[in-house]
Amino acid sequence: MGSIEEVDEEGLLLRGQAQVWQLMFGFANSMALKAAVELRLADIIHSYGGPVTLSQIASGIDSSSPEIPSLARLMRMLVRKGIFTIHRPSDGGETQYGSTHVSKWLLRDSDLTLAPLILQKNDPYQLAPWQHLSHCIKEGGIPFKRAYGCEMWEFTSQNPDFNKLFHDAMACTNKIVMTAFASQYKDGFDKIRSLVDVGGGTGRAIAELVKLYPHIMGVNFDLPHVVATAPVYDGVSHVGGNMFEAIPNSDAVFMKVRKHIIILQFILKNCRKAIPEKTGKVIIVDIVLQEDGNNRFGDMDLVFDILMFVHATGGKERTELEWKNILKEGGFPRYNIINIPALPSIIEAYPL
């Protein structure tokens, strides 16, 4: 019989082996999740208003002859992962499947959903650059550009199907983040009478804020050709321009996710010129990377950091210390971080 040390070492090695297996086949979870969204399984179950049988789920799939045995195997996997519930009647009736708090985020037609993001992040176009991760660490470069020979924004503009996937994914995540932001930052809007959304696209985000806080005069600021297509919103004016040249004057500036450090610092300096020195502030919604891993979203901050490396030139997530240094360099020596029920946090930055 081996020593206690030998037994402990064997146990640790076995645990390590099990962890490697889990990590190695992590893609299977992603693909099962994608299949669930593509088949609209959550929507089908939700439409019945309660637990349903496998045959009922199959009847809701857009197919004349769905493979029910294969569907059963997928459902078994999704149940094991806590995405759906399972109930086996004691009287020998058909097994039934139900919704969970997880499956609600897979609903394609829900106001708050992650379904478009699941489809986009697991699209073959998005997955191919990950094959170049180690090469770019050895030799430099960006995996996405190595895979396709161009930046992601350029690739998106040249591929309509991927462009739609990308913008649908961004729209769903923006909706989730903005809902959490607007509900948690109520007091932060009290003294703001004018607010500029820098890089606001067609103005949906600033329009939602103005609707909730009608005392605010909203300005949607983006490139001229972008705001030219923006719809009319009550309380919002669309202004075309270049954020690298100047930003419209206002009480506060709002920005969502600026990943490139040089771009962010440049924009911050222009923000500094656009707001009152004593009462102005910049409101940034972005991820604050937790070095200790103490995060309700687990390792997603680190996952997004690697994702930024794979897909975006100069993109990265930042720790609080890194944010502090960037803000100071941009003319904002004082800051405050507010956690919200979403992956990003609110970062308030003040010139004084």
Side-chain angles (χ1 to χ4, degrees):
M1 183 175 180
S3 67
I4 294 176
E5 289 79 7
E6 289 175 337
V7 172
D8 287 347
E9 179 65 18
E10 289 176 4
L12 288 172
L13 281 171
L14 183 59
R15 190 186 308 170
Q17 181 193 157
Q19 188 170 353
V20 170
W21 280 103
Q22 292 289 333
L23 291 168
M24 179 167 44
F25 287 100
F27 70 89
N29 295 329
S30 298
M31 292 298 104
L33 198 63
K34 181 188 179 187
V37 172
E38 290 175 328
L39 295 169
R40 293 181 176 267
L41 301 182
D43 296 273
I44 293 168
I45 294 173
H46 180 75
S47 69
Y48 280 90
V52 297
T53 64
L54 196 64
S55 57
Q56 287 175 313
I57 296 173
S59 68
I61 294 175
D62 183 20
S63 170
S64 59
S65 56
E67 288 285 334
I68 293 183
S70 299
L71 174 62
R73 294 164 73 178
L74 176 62
M75 290 301 297
R76 179 170 59 187
M77 173 75 161
L78 296 170
V79 167
R80 174 75 65 87
K81 293 300 177 180
I83 296 168
F84 298 112
T85 61
I86 189 169
H87 174 65
R88 298 181 178 88
S90 57
D91 60 4
E94 281 193 74
T95 297
Q96 293 182 316
Y97 300 89
S99 302
T100 68
H101 64 285
V102 180
S103 65
K104 289 178 180 178
W105 290 98
L106 307 187
L107 295 171
R108 297 280 289 270
D109 301 322
S110 176
D111 191 36
L112 294 178
T113 176
L114 285 168
L117 188 67
I118 292 168
L119 295 177
Q120 190 247 348
K121 292 303 179 189
N122 292 289
D123 184 81
Y125 282 130
Q126 281 286 79
L127 295 176
W130 289 90
Q131 300 295 329
H132 300 277
L133 184 58
S134 62
H135 298 140
C136 290
I137 290 174
K138 289 179 181 178
E139 303 168 9
I142 301 301
F144 193 95
K145 194 168 184 178
R146 189 179 180 105
Y148 298 113
C150 62
E151 300 280 356
M152 186 171 173
W153 62 267
E154 186 179 354
F155 182 85
T156 302
S157 68
Q158 296 170 355
N159 294 269
D161 290 341
F162 183 73
N163 182 63
K164 185 178 186 309
L165 272 178
F166 177 81
H167 285 288
D168 286 348
M170 294 304 99
C172 88
T173 52
N174 281 339
K175 180 68 175 178
I176 292 168
V177 171
M178 288 304 298
T179 299
F181 166 66
S183 66
Q184 297 292 308
Y185 197 63
K186 298 174 183 178
D187 296 341
F189 293 114
D190 287 348
K191 297 179 181 180
I192 296 176
R193 293 296 175 267
S194 58
L195 178 66
V196 173
D197 184 356
V198 175
T202 56
R204 183 172 180 177
I206 191 71
E208 290 295 321
L209 290 176
V210 169
K211 187 186 297 184
L212 290 172
Y213 305 99
H215 68 277
I216 295 176
M217 179 183 70
V219 176
N220 176 49
F221 181 66
D222 212 312
L223 294 169
H225 75 273
V226 175
V227 299
T229 64
V232 175
Y233 295 109
D234 290 338
V236 175
S237 59
H238 299 290
V239 177
N242 188 332
M243 68 183 74
F244 297 107
E245 295 176 0
I247 292 171
N249 292 336
S250 61
D251 293 332
V253 173
F254 174 63
M255 289 194 297
K256 300 181 294 296
V257 191
R258 297 288 171 195
K259 297 302 183 187
H260 197 296
I261 184 170
I262 304 300
I263 292 175
L264 180 56
Q265 286 180 335
F266 201 102
I267 297 172
L268 283 170
K269 290 177 180 178
N270 283 339
C271 289
R272 178 72 174 77
K273 300 171 185 176
I275 60 175
E277 186 171 3
K278 293 183 178 180
T279 60
K281 63 179 172 180
V282 170
I283 307 162
I284 301 170
V285 177
D286 203 346
I287 290 174
V288 179
L289 196 150
Q290 303 291 323
E291 291 280 27
D292 60 4
N294 183 20
N295 190 312
R296 76 181 81 185
F297 288 92
D299 297 328
M300 282 302 101
D301 52 350
L302 298 180
V303 170
F304 266 78
D305 184 50
I306 298 297
L307 186 147
M308 286 297 106
F309 167 57
V310 171
H311 289 146
T313 301
K316 64 174 294 184
E317 305 299 350
R318 302 176 180 88
T319 64
E320 180 174 345
L321 179 59
E322 288 173 315
W323 273 112
K324 178 181 178 180
N325 293 335
I326 290 170
L327 293 171
K328 186 176 181 180
E329 182 68 24
F332 294 88
R334 189 163 63 91
Y335 71 94
N336 181 39
I337 294 176
I338 303 170
N339 293 322
I340 59 175
L343 185 57
S345 299
I346 298 170
I347 306 166
E348 294 178 311
Y350 302 91
L352 291 178

